[in-house]
Amino acid sequence: MANQIVLLAFVAMTCSLVIAFEPKPLQDFCIADTTSSVIRVNGFPCLDSKLAQADHFSFGGLHMPGNTTNPLGVKITPVNVAQIPGLNTLGISLARIDYAPGGVTPPHTHPRATEILTVVKGKIYVGFVTSNPENKLISKVLKKGDVFVFPIGLVHFQQNLGSGTAISQSSLSSQNPGVITIANSVFGPNPSISDDVLAKAFQVDKSIISSLQAQF
């Protein structure tokens, strides 16, 4: 009897973990009706399926290089429900990332998605940090054709180590994975986090905090 109880408890916990992620669709598709005024609940309202067209399920231009002339030297081209309305409720999205030499995708998280990255061109240094208290850095240098996984919610980054441009493509397990860039969230929110809090948290002088906040 005790073994059966343990087994049932394990099954219940497993089921609860499964349903914690995006629910399975209850119809063939649910094209996002972005013009609707209906309240959103975990996705956009559905367009009448009779109005479905091929354009609702396609996106052109992922082959086009992104403009990396910015301070980070990186351009991300997302392909999510905003670009493909037919992705609504399907729980998946893509992104192309272009890197200038030395370009960096800064430490960030995706609160609603695991990311699997494939290197299309170049040599890219990638890594993620495990949660407290270990805070272990797991990193690797990837080359063309290599694949790396960033688990859901963990802080991760990418950097182009080559002398030329680099390209990667990511698949994410959410139609709307979200992005939380650590530096922007800490030093650039509106209104600002108190410099007393940040100085104490980072164990530095307030002048350093002010200098960092000014960048965002």
Side-chain angles (χ1 to χ4, degrees), residues 59 62 76-81 83-84 87 91-97 115-116 168-177:
F59 172 82
L62 205 60
I76 299 172
T77 304
V79 185
N80 55 41
V81 70
Q83 287 76 39
I84 303 181
L87 280 178
I92 191 170
S93 58
L94 297 171
R96 169 181 170 141
I97 309 175
E115 176 181 356
I116 181 166
S168 67
Q169 181 170 304
S170 292
S171 299
L172 301 107
S173 60
S174 171
Q175 68 184 44
N176 185 23

Side-chain angles (χ1 to χ4, degrees), residues 130-189:
T130 63
S131 55
N132 297 352
E134 289 83 8
N135 297 124
K136 180 180 179 180
L137 173 62
I138 297 177
S139 62
K140 188 176 179 68
V141 175
L142 308 178
K143 61 183 184 302
K144 181 179 178 179
D146 288 345
V147 174
F148 197 83
V149 174
F150 304 109
I152 184 171
L154 296 187
V155 175
H156 59 282
F157 62 88
Q158 297 101 36
Q159 180 186 25
N160 179 10
L161 294 184
S163 57
T165 59
I167 305 170
S168 67
Q169 181 170 304
S170 292
S171 299
L172 301 107
S173 60
S174 171
Q175 68 184 44
N176 185 23
V179 179
I180 301 174
T181 305
I182 306 306
N184 296 66
S185 298
V186 173
F187 299 111

